[in-house]
Amino acid sequence: YKRQVKDCEEELKYRRKVIEDTTLSLNKASESKDRCDSSLTKTQTVLAVNSQVQQNKERELEALQEIRSQQRTLLEDRKGYHDQVVAILEGALRFVEELEKGAAKETTNEQAKNVSTGLLQLFSGHRTPVAHAVIQMLTQIMTSKSVNAADVRRLRELIMELRKSIEQAYNRASQEENAAQEAHEKQTAQIRQIMSDLKRQEASAKNYSIELHHCIEEEMAVIAVSSTRKRRNQQLLDAGQAMCETWSISYEYSTKTRQSAIQLYNKILEWLKEYFKKNNSDSKSPRSLAP
């Protein structure tokens, strides 16, 4: 009986310990899965933001390239304008040289007309004071009956002054272009560096996301195994408790039945003793079978 009680106690104790350990394992796996789920959600948010920022930077880079292209086109147009003005002013200087050499008025008038017409076309929208003075001097020379040396000198001075202002304006534009190109390259390099950093962050986040998926899968497997083990051991515990309780009830019943039988046997034995005593029997009284 004691051995049977001990076996029951050990079996139930073992099942309760297994259930306790499995519950701890199940809770730990569930907590780990929840952490991985939370981290995965945050990582997916980071990836979405990263992707949006990359798209914004790509558009920003495209916009910078477009602005740079427009600026280069503007400088090219300005260079073309500069070259045209310089060519006309070169013609104006040749015209002055012809005047200084005393060329025929018919010839010089034709040259002056060409120079004046070219300047009028180039400076039609933004005539500067110097350009205006050159055109006026050319007109004055064409309409005068004789050429004044002082007017010729003044015309040369005006032409040289206009050429100098044109060269200065173009040089300023070239410097601005160089500065714009330098700023563009610097800004472009910064954006490309940012995009490179974003791509590295994206790759790292994707790798981390894969690890989190593996974590979730592994913990789900642990949860499934632990849940099955806990359920099975709970069933075995319930069955063991029921079996031990049934055995205990059966043992108690058997004990009571045996005790009743012994009591009955002893009563019969006492009755026999009394019977033999009353009848003066010479036979030996039966041996007691009581334990």
Side-chain angles (χ1 to χ4, degrees), residues 237-253:
L237 176 63
D238 294 341
Q241 287 177 328
M243 182 180 67
C244 289
E245 185 177 352
T246 300
W247 175 84
S248 179
I249 293 172
S250 176
Y251 178 82
E252 184 178 353
Y253 175 77

Side-chain angles (χ1 to χ4, degrees), residues 19-35 219 222-223 226-227 230:
I19 291 172
E20 180 182 354
D21 292 342
T22 304
T23 300
L24 290 175
S25 177
L26 181 60
N27 292 340
K28 183 178 179 180
S30 297
E31 292 173 358
S32 178
K33 177 181 174 297
D34 290 341
R35 286 194 297 270
E219 298 303 339
V222 172
I223 290 172
S226 297
S227 297
K230 180 180 179 180

Side-chain angles (χ1 to χ4, degrees), residues 85-95 159 163:
V85 173
V86 170
I88 291 175
L89 293 179
E90 290 290 342
L93 288 175
R94 287 193 297 272
F95 164 68
I159 291 172
R163 180 167 183 173

